[in-house]
Amino acid sequence: MPIIKTYILIGLALLTGTLSASAQSTERRIQVIIENPWQTEKTDEPVVINLHNLKTDFTIKSALVSDGTSEIPSQLDDMNGDTRADELAFVISLPAASKKTLTVILSSRQSTTHYPARVYAEMLFRTSKKKRYAKGYAIYADGKADTYNIQHHHGAAFESELVAYRIYFNEKQTTDLYGKFHKGLEIEKSQFYPTNDQLKQGFGDDVIKVNNSCGAGTLRGWDGIQATLIKPVAIRGQRILANGPVRTVVDAEVKGWQYQGKELNMVNRYTLYAGHRDAQVDVIFDTPLTDEVFATGVQNITGHADKYSDHNGLVASWGTDWPVNDTIKYKKETVGLATYIPQDIVVKEATDKENFLYLLSAPGRCSFRYYTMFTSCKETFGYPTKEKWFAYVQEWKKQLEQPVKIQIINL
């Protein structure tokens, strides 16, 4: 069996907080004007600032984001593994047709303040001791290796207060789903497999059996008839780039994917923000695409799910199944799934025996973005019927198509 190599990335997801005054530190102040032009309120709207565009002459180690006298939790993220911050991220709520002007202080001094976590991500490696795991940030393996059981819960997991996902570390790379009864963070305690006591306390758990489907929004290949798994590949990897308190960023990466006569190096990057059930999926390649066609969408649960499509990039399903093979301890779960693909990369709709799909292509581009999400009927805060779910997914698409406008002014 090929040897599996594990690498730990250090210094990821740099946390921000209140700055300490010091003559030794260097600072840069900017104003960030955020406008919501839409006639609907925006709640926990993501804002991301590329720090390289600011061209500071010092290493940024902390940031303070303020709305008047109120401090807004934020985080600095290292996106390329060099231990230096590349992006500043936070979420903000804005009334309909409104504008806010924020002050941001960037500093070379390390912060000591930690904001309360609203998201969480983990990668756990098995050790020689049963039920003892080592936390990690990245793992890479030979593409022919049997990697499914290398990590606890079979791959990196990440969550917001509303939902949790995990990404299988194998050729499926599927997003498996964890539904919650109540809002809150659970994965660090339950590790995706709640105990009997935790279940009695009201913890959530696995809510879907994905089989070989795309689950909720997993990218697939396309052979002209059906969606295909991500294989063969030379190297397969996962990594956690950011772990809160505002967002998680988790990569599923392959190198040397033999696909449609090409050899592709690809990253599927999942970003989950505080207050969100939807994950942003960025698909990134190291060279421009040509005529490759991919597929994504939602699982047709048991082959008999209810479906909604607007035929313009939005597809959703609603179905019921046992989430695991143990039908004694566990009960059937009902879930709603949804995926939205921007129209400029949509080729056409398609179906196979396990999925409701869109085919997509992005010739000349090195990346494209789409979104996926789910709800579980066990949620006390969610969408208990297919009618309410299908109505919500249409509003969700409208929200995504009306982003806030951001302007940065140097002070």
Side-chain angles (χ1 to χ4, degrees):
M1 178 182 296
I3 296 174
I4 297 170
K5 298 181 179 179
T6 303
Y7 303 89
I8 304 298
L9 300 184
I10 301 173
L12 305 178
L14 305 174
L15 300 179
T16 70
T18 306
L19 303 179
S20 300
S22 170
Q24 302 298 318
S25 64
T26 304
E27 293 184 351
R28 171 84 170 272
R29 292 172 179 258
I30 61 173
Q31 276 189 343
V32 180
I33 302 172
I34 306 171
E35 181 182 0
N36 175 18
W38 203 29
Q39 298 303 313
T40 302
E41 179 186 11
K42 291 275 192 179
T43 302
D44 287 326
E45 181 74 6
V47 177
V48 179
I49 297 173
N50 186 325
L51 299 176
H52 297 291
N53 292 340
L54 301 179
K55 296 181 171 59
T56 59
D57 56 1
F58 60 90
T59 299
I60 299 170
K61 295 186 178 181
S62 62
L64 173 64
V65 181
S66 301
D67 179 8
T69 58
S70 300
E71 187 172 339
I72 297 176
S74 64
Q75 68 187 63
L76 293 168
D77 292 329
D78 168 21
M79 305 300 287
N80 59 12
D82 66 357
T83 73
R84 300 178 185 274
D86 302 298
E87 294 181 351
L88 170 66
F90 55 92
V91 296
I92 190 169
S93 297
L94 297 99
S98 69
K99 184 185 297 187
K100 286 188 176 183
T101 300
L102 310 181
T103 300
V104 177
I105 304 175
L106 304 170
S107 175
S108 62
R109 176 165 290 277
Q110 187 73 51
S111 170
T112 58
T113 299
H114 290 226
Y115 297 114
R118 297 183 61 193
V119 295
Y120 176 72
E122 73 175 15
M123 176 181 289
L124 299 177
F125 304 133
R126 299 182 186 278
T127 68
S128 59
K129 295 183 179 180
K130 189 175 182 180
K131 296 185 178 180
R132 294 290 297 272
Y133 308 103
K135 286 191 175 182
Y137 293 101
I139 182 170
Y140 289 87
D142 188 292
K144 296 178 182 178
D146 180 4
T147 53
Y148 182 71
N149 289 310
I150 294 302
Q151 296 183 59
H152 185 53
H153 50 63
H154 306 297
F158 54 98
E159 67 174 329
S160 68
E161 305 103 320
L162 283 71
V163 294
Y165 298 80
R166 63 176 169 183
I167 307 171
Y168 283 135
F169 186 42
N170 64 0
E171 65 275 9
K172 291 183 179 182
Q173 295 192 181
T174 312
T175 53
D176 198 20
L177 313 176
Y178 179 109
K180 303 180 182 184
F181 287 98
H182 311 287
K183 290 184 181 180
L185 302 182
E186 299 184 8
I187 297 302
E188 186 172 20
K189 292 182 179 179
S190 75
Q191 297 185 346
F192 218 92
Y193 301 114
T195 64
N196 289 338
D197 285 343
Q198 288 174 331
L199 291 172
K200 291 177 183 178
Q201 295 168 26
F203 275 65
D205 58 2
D206 195 342
V207 292
I208 193 170
K209 184 189 293 185
V210 296
N211 297 315
N212 285 322
S213 76
C214 70
T218 307
L219 190 78
R220 288 282 188 258
W222 179 254
D223 67 5
I225 299 174
Q226 62 186 355
T228 61
L229 303 181
I230 310 301
K231 66 176 187 178
V233 302
I235 298 172
R236 191 179 306 280
Q238 290 188 350
R239 58 177 171 251
I240 296 173
L241 295 180
N243 185 23
V246 172
R247 68 173 180 176
T248 64
V249 182
V250 178
D251 285 353
E253 181 179 7
V254 292
K255 297 180 180 180
W257 180 21
Q258 302 298 320
Y259 182 65
Q260 294 185 351
K262 312 289 175 57
E263 184 173 281
L264 304 179
N265 295 335
M266 177 181 72
V267 173
N268 293 348
R269 177 164 294 168
Y270 292 84
T271 304
L272 181 64
Y273 287 92
H276 283 246
R277 66 172 65 247
D278 58 331
Q280 172 186 299
V281 187
D282 290 287
V283 184
I284 305 165
F285 300 88
D286 63 344
T287 58
L289 295 168
T290 53
D291 56 354
E292 299 88 348
V293 176
F294 307 95
T296 193
V298 292
Q299 182 179 2
N300 177 4
I301 301 161
T302 71
H304 299 92
D306 292 299
K307 175 187 176 183
Y308 170 80
S309 173
D310 70 352
H311 311 297
N312 284 293
L314 177 64
V315 64
S317 65
W318 180 270
T320 302
D321 193 12
W322 276 286
V324 295
N325 293 328
D326 185 347
T327 60
I328 304 299
K329 179 180 177 181
Y330 296 91
K331 63 181 181 64
K332 284 187 174 182
E333 299 279 358
T334 298
V335 297
L337 314 175
T339 297
Y340 163 61
I341 304 102
Q343 187 61 38
D344 64 335
I345 59 172
V346 169
V347 175
K348 64 177 182 179
E349 287 188 81
T351 60
D352 63 19
K353 65 181 181 179
E354 292 196 80
N355 305 289
F356 302 128
L357 300 165
Y358 279 95
L359 306 185
L360 50 151
S361 185
R365 293 167 57 175
C366 289
S367 67
F368 54 84
R369 175 180 293 176
Y370 63 92
Y371 301 83
T372 193
M373 67 173 179
F374 76 95
T375 188
S376 165
C377 254
K378 66 175 57 179
E379 295 171 357
T380 56
F381 51 85
Y383 304 90
T385 67
K386 67 179 180 182
E387 290 80 13
K388 290 184 177 181
W389 177 242
F390 290 159
Y392 173 67
V393 302
Q394 295 172 69
E395 290 302 313
W396 171 59
K397 177 181 176 180
K398 292 177 183 178
Q399 292 172 17
L400 291 171
E401 291 182 337
Q402 296 287 338
V404 296
K405 296 179 180 180
I406 301 172
Q407 180 184 3
I408 297 176
I409 300 174
N410 291 313
L411 296 179

